[in-house]
Amino acid sequence: MPTIPKIRFDKYYRYEELTTLLKELAQAHPDLIELSSLGKSFEGRDIWQVTVTAKSTGAASEKPALWVDGNIHATEVSASAACLHLIHTLVSRYGTDPKVTTVLDSRAFYVAPRINPDGAEAALSERPKYLRSSVRPHPYDEDPVEGLIREDVDGDGKMLSMRIPDPNGPWKVSPEDPRLMIRRHPEDLEGEFYRVLPEGRMVEEWDGITLKVNAYKEGLDLNRNFPASWRTEDEQKGAGPYPTSEPEVRAMVSFITSHTNICHAVTFHTYSGVLLRPFSAQSDDNFPAEDLWTYRYIGDRGTEMTGYPHLSVYHDFRYHPKQVITGVFDDWMYDHQGVFSWTVEIWSPHRRAGITKGFDKETRSGAFNFIDWWRDHPVEDDLKLLRWSDEALRGEGYYEWRPFHHPDFGNVELGGWDLMFGIRNPPSWLLEEEIAPLSEWVIWQALTTPRLELLQEEISSLGERCFKLRIVAANTGWLPTYVTKRAHQRKAARDLVAEIELPEGARLVSGKRREELGQLEGKAYKDSTCINYQADPTDDRVKVEFVVEASPGTTVEVRLRHPRAGVLKRSYVLK
Ligand SMILES: [Zn+2]
């Protein structure tokens, strides 16, 4: 028996360590884990995918499943940790926790902890580079010939800010805390003023006057490269040359479209501490009503379990009031595949620091609005963030300005927020408490899927060589077999199929060799009261009957299969 590897949730894994850990986990739990690769990243790294289910109760492909991924955006490494936490929770509680045991016996999880291993590796390296997504140059493959490039210029492993004195600078030092830079107002005529720049170096020798800040040449955003409402570069920056053009996205899309048992999807990102749902570019009015109600139901449970409010991207989470985003994973999953999909933004530094603007503590709804806050907020909020860095982040969120002799600019100061650990990701010691509740919500979601179960099987003899076979099955899950009304509209979930296979010499007298039997309802779309003449017809059940002419002792095979509800396979000896 191989030893069970210890997964650490107080550190962020580099690619090699992550690979070793996943291989060890698969070896330690051969009954629960299957490790495979979705494909290769742009730089040729395997994009690992972990299937978790109890193999003893059937193959993953024959059970309803959840898709869970993380770290499609380079710096959002706590998303990988959330995926690892889910895998760890499932395998460590199987056999002792009844809910986890039921879930792994009857459902499967497809978990891809690091969709973008190249970008994550750049973010986690000793001299980090904080790209948006993958490392493939886009839209042009050329290095800048002038201007500033972001770089860890003093080699301390952090990318902070540089402040340079400038009489016409837009920033001044706060009188309340000398570390804090606050903006200059029209009446601020006298004093010390600064220009604040990202830590970096000039491409060519600085002329001492003009300064341009370059964007990284790796300008892709893999979470704009999905097929749903994909748009070209002029309308949606970073979307790539065509939908699924990027190897990481293509690998995901190929896997998901060939695994039609997927009923739900959760993609982990950072930051904000919110549960985001579609649409990104359409009003809630465009949802089939039942799907919106169900989204809210699943979201309410998520808020209860995680403390994160659930929001519509279109209505509550726009990066700019006049713009929408498209080509996003969760939209593609809901709109084309017809599955309930969520983008979980892990970690809210603002809420942690006590800035709750936009977030209603009573109803736990609404969320802090970055756009509004970035544009304007009281200095008190900055002071709250600083105090929080000093205390909760042990001073490792915000760094005091310290003199540095810059190779291009001479004497400057380095300091400010560490965006990678503190703002975009929790510091390592707060990681586990932040991600643990997310695993609980994902596991709960597995219980909402449909599930095909056998209720009755009966063989009766109608004569010497004539047998009647009756099979009754039901959807014992919560959602209907088609999962969403959108899937129904899009024909994304085929009807339940019943099939019988007969050996040579046997003949089907009545019943069909293969028959589509429609969809089975679940418990989801019921009223919340029995006041209204409640009626519960058995629309969750199906009865299949075959009459077979065959010699006694003949074996026939019957299969009931639904892409999202599971597969039932039975052999019957006619006698
Ligand atoms: Zn993200």
Side-chain angles (χ1 to χ4, degrees):
M1 178 86 186
T3 50
I4 293 174
K6 171 131 180 54
I7 309 182
R8 287 180 54 189
F9 294 108
D10 61 349
K11 67 171 275 179
Y12 291 103
Y13 286 92
R14 295 278 299 262
Y15 182 74
E16 285 309 321
E17 299 173 297
L18 179 72
T19 300
T20 307
L21 177 70
L22 294 175
K23 287 181 176 168
E24 285 173 359
L25 270 171
Q27 270 168 14
H29 303 280
D31 47 335
L32 297 174
I33 289 184
E34 202 62 50
L35 177 66
S36 51
S37 171
L38 291 177
K40 301 272 188 195
S41 67
F42 177 70
E43 287 184 329
R45 293 185 177 89
D46 275 304
I47 304 165
W48 297 118
Q49 180 268 317
V50 180
T51 301
V52 193
T53 193
K55 294 182 190 173
S56 61
T57 59
S61 60
E62 299 186 347
K63 296 171 181 170
L66 275 78
W67 167 269
V68 181
D69 73 66
N71 210 178
I72 196 169
H73 287 143
T75 60
E76 300 172 4
V77 289
S78 36
S80 289
C83 291
L84 289 178
H85 193 276
L86 172 66
I87 297 168
H88 170 74
T89 306
L90 290 169
V91 299
S92 62
R93 289 209 221 142
Y94 181 73
T96 51
D97 176 333
K99 188 164 77 183
V100 169
T101 309
T102 301
V103 154
L104 288 185
D105 281 345
S106 57
R107 273 86 169 177
F109 293 80
Y110 300 124
V111 189
R114 187 158 289 170
I115 292 296
N116 174 17
D118 304 348
E121 204 57 8
L124 290 170
S125 67
E126 291 81 21
R127 287 294 274 268
K129 205 169 170 183
Y130 298 154
L131 306 175
R132 172 62 171 164
S133 244
S134 84
V135 302
R136 192 174 81 78
H138 177 82
Y140 310 115
D141 186 3
E142 59 190 24
D143 289 311
V145 293
E146 56 174 4
L148 182 91
I149 26 177
R150 290 156 209 262
E151 196 186 290
D152 171 17
V153 74
D154 66 339
D156 67 348
K158 291 181 190 57
M159 299 263 270
L160 303 176
S161 298
M162 306 190 288
R163 72 173 187 190
I164 303 175
D166 184 331
N168 198 34
W171 300 95
K172 61 179 184 181
V173 172
S174 160
E176 283 162 287
D177 191 319
R179 294 173 296 171
L180 183 64
M181 303 304 290
I182 55 172
R183 62 181 174 177
R184 186 174 174 180
H185 293 288
E187 66 276 18
D188 294 329
L189 302 173
E190 299 288 327
E192 288 250 288
F193 303 107
Y194 294 88
R195 216 167 266 276
V196 177
L197 295 163
E199 187 175 337
R201 282 209 60 171
M202 293 299 288
V203 176
E204 287 212 315
E205 203 182 320
W206 188 39
D207 66 2
I209 303 164
T210 50
L211 204 155
K212 166 183 159 198
V213 180
N214 290 306
Y216 282 120
K217 69 169 178 175
E218 297 89 346
L220 281 163
D221 185 338
L222 298 183
N223 200 27
R224 306 290 182 268
N225 190 231
F226 288 90
S229 311
W230 178 90
R231 291 178 300 168
T232 46
E233 189 71 15
D234 57 317
E235 289 187 41
Q236 175 63 73
K237 258 175 102 71
Y242 56 90
T244 75
S245 59
E246 303 313 305
E248 297 83 0
V249 173
R250 177 62 68 94
M252 270 174 93
V253 166
S254 301
F255 182 93
I256 288 166
T257 50
S258 61
H259 290 73
T260 52
N261 55 331
I262 294 172
C263 301
H264 290 302
V266 173
T267 179
F268 285 115
H269 287 243
T270 78
Y271 63 97
S272 288
V274 289
L275 312 171
L276 300 176
R277 63 162 171 82
F279 294 105
S280 299
Q282 296 179 50
S283 154
D284 277 357
D285 294 343
N286 295 331
F287 269 110
E290 289 80 359
D291 290 359
L292 183 58
W293 296 333
T294 309
Y295 254 123
R296 287 184 176 144
Y297 178 86
I298 298 173
D300 280 344
R301 199 52 79 89
T303 302
E304 231 172 85
M305 295 169 97
T306 67
Y308 290 8
H310 60 93
L311 308 169
S312 141
V313 176
Y314 179 82
H315 293 286
D316 314 306
F317 203 79
R318 278 199 235 176
Y319 293 99
H320 187 283
K322 297 289 180 195
Q323 285 167 14
V324 292
I325 55 169
T326 59
V328 179
F329 174 74
D330 62 12
D331 275 345
W332 174 67
M333 285 302 275
Y334 172 72
D335 200 6
H336 288 194
Q337 308 304 308
V339 311
F340 288 108
S341 56
W342 294 87
T343 299
V344 176
E345 299 282 356
I346 301 166
W347 182 244
S348 169
H350 292 85
R351 223 154 53 216
R352 288 256 178 177
I355 301 163
T356 50
K357 190 169 183 277
F359 176 71
D360 188 321
K361 262 191 180 161
E362 283 288 304
T363 60
R364 293 211 270 188
S365 65
F368 173 74
N369 187 318
F370 288 105
I371 314 306
D372 292 349
W373 193 84
W374 276 324
R375 211 188 55 248
D376 192 21
H377 64 265
V379 172
E380 181 50 36
D381 285 0
D382 292 305
L383 294 167
K384 277 184 188 170
L385 280 163
L386 273 188
R387 276 199 299 276
W388 169 72
S389 165
D390 293 342
E391 290 156 21
L393 300 182
R394 305 173 187 170
E396 290 179 29
Y398 193 94
Y399 289 87
E400 239 170 285
W401 298 99
R402 60 182 169 78
F404 175 68
H405 190 80
H406 193 281
D408 302 306
F409 307 121
N411 292 330
V412 302
E413 286 170 288
L414 287 177
W417 283 103
D418 179 357
L419 294 180
M420 182 71 182
F421 302 107
I423 298 293
R424 289 186 192 158
N425 295 282
S428 57
W429 63 90
L430 293 178
L431 178 60
E432 187 168 6
E433 65 166 70
E434 187 70 23
I435 59 180
L438 304 173
S439 296
E440 302 303 323
W441 183 50
V442 174
I443 292 167
W444 174 84
Q445 282 191 49
L447 292 172
T448 69
T449 71
R451 183 195 179 195
L452 192 62
E453 268 195 284
L454 192 71
L455 291 191
Q456 237 186 60
E457 47 192 346
E458 197 182 286
I459 306 169
S460 48
S461 169
L462 302 180
E464 204 185 319
R465 279 178 50 83
C466 197
F467 301 90
K468 185 168 143 187
L469 186 55
R470 173 199 273 180
I471 296 139
V472 181
N475 171 20
T476 62
W478 184 76
L479 284 164
T481 50
Y482 50 88
V483 178
T484 65
K485 295 281 177 188
R486 183 59 119 217
H488 216 28
Q489 289 170 346
R490 295 269 193 239
K491 299 194 188 309
R494 190 184 177 180
D495 284 351
L496 177 69
V497 173
E499 286 169 308
I500 186 163
E501 230 174 273
L502 304 169
E504 197 114 338
R507 190 173 71 89
L508 196 59
V509 178
S510 81
K512 288 185 176 164
R513 293 262 305 278
R514 179 183 296 142
E515 192 176 7
E516 291 202 11
L517 297 165
Q519 303 282 347
L520 301 178
E521 285 300 316
K523 305 167 188 77
Y525 305 138
K526 304 278 181 193
D527 285 347
S528 65
T529 168
C530 297
I531 292 173
N532 296 329
Y533 299 108
Q534 186 61 25
D536 292 322
T538 54
D539 50 9
D540 54 328
R541 273 184 211 162
V542 65
K543 180 175 78 179
V544 193
E545 288 181 333
F546 303 99
V547 176
V548 179
E549 191 187 274
S551 313
T554 300
T555 304
V556 298
E557 312 279 342
V558 175
R559 207 146 72 113
L560 260 63
R561 58 183 162 95
H562 186 283
R564 296 190 171 178
V567 180
L568 298 173
K569 285 186 288 196
R570 289 289 184 278
S571 295
Y572 298 102
V573 181
L574 303 176
K575 56 183 181 198

